[in-house]
PDB file of all heavy atoms in Angstrom:
ATOM      1  N   GLN A 547      29.847  36.842   4.114  1.00 97.00           N
ATOM      2  CA  GLN A 547      31.309  36.660   4.100  1.00 97.00           C
ATOM      3  C   GLN A 547      31.789  35.978   5.375  1.00 97.00           C
ATOM      4  O   GLN A 547      32.717  35.169   5.352  1.00 97.00           O
ATOM      5  CB  GLN A 547      32.033  38.002   3.898  1.00 97.00           C
ATOM      6  CG  GLN A 547      31.810  38.630   2.528  1.00 97.00           C
ATOM      7  CD  GLN A 547      32.041  37.662   1.365  1.00 97.00           C
ATOM      8  OE1 GLN A 547      32.856  36.745   1.454  1.00 97.00           O
ATOM      9  NE2 GLN A 547      31.278  37.827   0.289  1.00 97.00           N
ATOM     10  N   ALA A 548      31.145  36.310   6.497  1.00 97.00           N
ATOM     11  CA  ALA A 548      31.546  35.682   7.762  1.00 97.00           C
ATOM     12  C   ALA A 548      31.336  34.170   7.694  1.00 97.00           C
ATOM     13  O   ALA A 548      32.203  33.387   8.105  1.00 97.00           O
ATOM     14  CB  ALA A 548      30.745  36.289   8.913  1.00 97.00           C
ATOM     15  N   VAL A 549      30.194  33.763   7.163  1.00 97.00           N
ATOM     16  CA  VAL A 549      29.931  32.315   7.057  1.00 97.00           C
ATOM     17  C   VAL A 549      30.966  31.657   6.155  1.00 97.00           C
ATOM     18  O   VAL A 549      31.562  30.632   6.506  1.00 97.00           O
ATOM     19  CB  VAL A 549      28.509  32.049   6.510  1.00 97.00           C
ATOM     20  CG1 VAL A 549      28.328  30.570   6.199  1.00 97.00           C
ATOM     21  CG2 VAL A 549      27.450  32.524   7.492  1.00 97.00           C
ATOM     22  N   LEU A 550      31.197  32.255   4.985  1.00 96.00           N
ATOM     23  CA  LEU A 550      32.106  31.617   4.021  1.00 96.00           C
ATOM     24  C   LEU A 550      33.539  31.602   4.549  1.00 96.00           C
ATOM     25  O   LEU A 550      34.269  30.634   4.339  1.00 96.00           O
ATOM     26  CB  LEU A 550      32.004  32.323   2.660  1.00 96.00           C
ATOM     27  CG  LEU A 550      30.678  32.080   1.934  1.00 96.00           C
ATOM     28  CD1 LEU A 550      30.598  32.909   0.646  1.00 96.00           C
ATOM     29  CD2 LEU A 550      30.463  30.594   1.610  1.00 96.00           C
ATOM     30  N   ALA A 551      33.928  32.681   5.243  1.00 96.00           N
ATOM     31  CA  ALA A 551      35.287  32.719   5.794  1.00 96.00           C
ATOM     32  C   ALA A 551      35.454  31.651   6.872  1.00 96.00           C
ATOM     33  O   ALA A 551      36.482  30.968   6.940  1.00 96.00           O
ATOM     34  CB  ALA A 551      35.581  34.112   6.365  1.00 96.00           C
ATOM     35  N   GLU A 552      34.429  31.482   7.695  1.00 96.00           N
ATOM     36  CA  GLU A 552      34.553  30.454   8.732  1.00 96.00           C
ATOM     37  C   GLU A 552      34.581  29.058   8.119  1.00 96.00           C
ATOM     38  O   GLU A 552      35.345  28.193   8.561  1.00 96.00           O
ATOM     39  CB  GLU A 552      33.434  30.570   9.782  1.00 96.00           C
ATOM     40  CG  GLU A 552      33.833  29.777  11.029  1.00 96.00           C
ATOM     41  CD  GLU A 552      32.782  29.701  12.132  1.00 96.00           C
ATOM     42  OE1 GLU A 552      31.910  30.584  12.196  1.00 96.00           O
ATOM     43  OE2 GLU A 552      32.859  28.734  12.920  1.00 96.00           O
ATOM     44  N   LEU A 553      33.775  28.854   7.089  1.00 96.00           N
ATOM     45  CA  LEU A 553      33.803  27.552   6.415  1.00 96.00           C
ATOM     46  C   LEU A 553      35.189  27.275   5.840  1.00 96.00           C
ATOM     47  O   LEU A 553      35.703  26.152   5.931  1.00 96.00           O
ATOM     48  CB  LEU A 553      32.748  27.496   5.297  1.00 96.00           C
ATOM     49  CG  LEU A 553      31.297  27.285   5.739  1.00 96.00           C
ATOM     50  CD1 LEU A 553      30.352  27.451   4.559  1.00 96.00           C
ATOM     51  CD2 LEU A 553      31.118  25.902   6.380  1.00 96.00           C
ATOM     52  N   ALA A 554      35.805  28.288   5.262  1.00 96.00           N
ATOM     53  CA  ALA A 554      37.153  28.110   4.688  1.00 96.00           C
ATOM     54  C   ALA A 554      38.141  27.739   5.787  1.00 96.00           C
ATOM     55  O   ALA A 554      38.985  26.840   5.613  1.00 96.00           O
ATOM     56  CB  ALA A 554      37.585  29.396   3.969  1.00 96.00           C
ATOM     57  N   ALA A 555      38.029  28.410   6.932  1.00 97.00           N
ATOM     58  CA  ALA A 555      38.938  28.098   8.046  1.00 97.00           C
ATOM     59  C   ALA A 555      38.702  26.667   8.529  1.00 97.00           C
ATOM     60  O   ALA A 555      39.654  25.930   8.842  1.00 97.00           O
ATOM     61  CB  ALA A 555      38.708  29.095   9.185  1.00 97.00           C
ATOM     62  N   LYS A 556      37.449  26.247   8.555  1.00 96.00           N
ATOM     63  CA  LYS A 556      37.123  24.909   9.034  1.00 96.00           C
ATOM     64  C   LYS A 556      37.596  23.836   8.047  1.00 96.00           C
ATOM     65  O   LYS A 556      38.036  22.757   8.451  1.00 96.00           O
ATOM     66  CB  LYS A 556      35.624  24.801   9.305  1.00 96.00           C
ATOM     67  CG  LYS A 556      35.203  25.688  10.486  1.00 96.00           C
ATOM     68  CD  LYS A 556      33.794  25.425  10.980  1.00 96.00           C
ATOM     69  CE  LYS A 556      32.736  26.162  10.226  1.00 96.00           C
ATOM     70  NZ  LYS A 556      31.459  26.263  10.970  1.00 96.00           N
ATOM     71  N   ALA A 557      37.519  24.161   6.768  1.00 96.00           N
ATOM     72  CA  ALA A 557      38.020  23.222   5.752  1.00 96.00           C
ATOM     73  C   ALA A 557      39.514  22.984   5.960  1.00 96.00           C
ATOM     74  O   ALA A 557      40.000  21.844   5.936  1.00 96.00           O
ATOM     75  CB  ALA A 557      37.741  23.780   4.354  1.00 96.00           C
ATOM     76  N   LYS A 558      40.230  24.062   6.158  1.00 96.00           N
ATOM     77  CA  LYS A 558      41.688  24.020   6.361  1.00 96.00           C
ATOM     78  C   LYS A 558      42.024  23.234   7.634  1.00 96.00           C
ATOM     79  O   LYS A 558      42.889  22.344   7.643  1.00 96.00           O
ATOM     80  CB  LYS A 558      42.183  25.478   6.492  1.00 96.00           C
ATOM     81  CG  LYS A 558      43.654  25.692   6.299  1.00 96.00           C
ATOM     82  CD  LYS A 558      44.026  25.727   4.830  1.00 96.00           C
ATOM     83  CE  LYS A 558      45.504  25.374   4.683  1.00 96.00           C
ATOM     84  NZ  LYS A 558      45.774  24.722   3.400  1.00 96.00           N
ATOM     85  N   LEU A 559      41.322  23.592   8.705  1.00 96.00           N
ATOM     86  CA  LEU A 559      41.572  22.951   9.998  1.00 96.00           C
ATOM     87  C   LEU A 559      41.352  21.435   9.916  1.00 96.00           C
ATOM     88  O   LEU A 559      42.147  20.643  10.451  1.00 96.00           O
ATOM     89  CB  LEU A 559      40.630  23.556  11.047  1.00 96.00           C
ATOM     90  CG  LEU A 559      40.730  22.950  12.456  1.00 96.00           C
ATOM     91  CD1 LEU A 559      42.029  23.384  13.127  1.00 96.00           C
ATOM     92  CD2 LEU A 559      39.525  23.349  13.308  1.00 96.00           C
ATOM     93  N   THR A 560      40.285  21.050   9.251  1.00 96.00           N
ATOM     94  CA  THR A 560      39.947  19.629   9.142  1.00 96.00           C
ATOM     95  C   THR A 560      41.085  18.853   8.479  1.00 96.00           C
ATOM     96  O   THR A 560      41.554  17.832   8.988  1.00 96.00           O
ATOM     97  CB  THR A 560      38.648  19.468   8.316  1.00 96.00           C
ATOM     98  OG1 THR A 560      37.591  20.130   8.999  1.00 96.00           O
ATOM     99  CG2 THR A 560      38.294  18.006   8.122  1.00 96.00           C
ATOM    100  N   GLU A 561      41.513  19.368   7.346  1.00 95.00           N
ATOM    101  CA  GLU A 561      42.588  18.708   6.604  1.00 95.00           C
ATOM    102  C   GLU A 561      43.835  18.577   7.481  1.00 95.00           C
ATOM    103  O   GLU A 561      44.466  17.521   7.558  1.00 95.00           O
ATOM    104  CB  GLU A 561      42.895  19.548   5.345  1.00 95.00           C
ATOM    105  CG  GLU A 561      44.047  19.031   4.517  1.00 95.00           C
ATOM    106  CD  GLU A 561      44.524  20.049   3.474  1.00 95.00           C
ATOM    107  OE1 GLU A 561      43.813  21.073   3.269  1.00 95.00           O
ATOM    108  OE2 GLU A 561      45.588  19.830   2.898  1.00 95.00           O
ATOM    109  N   GLN A 562      44.142  19.682   8.174  1.00 95.00           N
ATOM    110  CA  GLN A 562      45.355  19.750   8.978  1.00 95.00           C
ATOM    111  C   GLN A 562      45.330  18.753  10.136  1.00 95.00           C
ATOM    112  O   GLN A 562      46.248  17.924  10.284  1.00 95.00           O
ATOM    113  CB  GLN A 562      45.430  21.192   9.500  1.00 95.00           C
ATOM    114  CG  GLN A 562      46.701  21.599  10.159  1.00 95.00           C
ATOM    115  CD  GLN A 562      46.507  23.007  10.760  1.00 95.00           C
ATOM    116  OE1 GLN A 562      45.853  23.893  10.158  1.00 95.00           O
ATOM    117  NE2 GLN A 562      47.044  23.193  11.953  1.00 95.00           N
ATOM    118  N   VAL A 563      44.270  18.784  10.922  1.00 95.00           N
ATOM    119  CA  VAL A 563      44.214  17.893  12.103  1.00 95.00           C
ATOM    120  C   VAL A 563      44.213  16.429  11.669  1.00 95.00           C
ATOM    121  O   VAL A 563      44.948  15.610  12.230  1.00 95.00           O
ATOM    122  CB  VAL A 563      42.995  18.217  12.990  1.00 95.00           C
ATOM    123  CG1 VAL A 563      42.889  17.228  14.142  1.00 95.00           C
ATOM    124  CG2 VAL A 563      43.077  19.643  13.508  1.00 95.00           C
TER     125      VAL A 563
END
Side-chain angles (χ1 to χ4, degrees):
Chain A
Q547 293 311 329
V549 171
L550 290 175
E552 197 184 336
L553 283 172
K556 293 191 275 199
K558 197 80 203 150
L559 178 72
T560 298
E561 177 193 349
Q562 190 187 321
V563 176

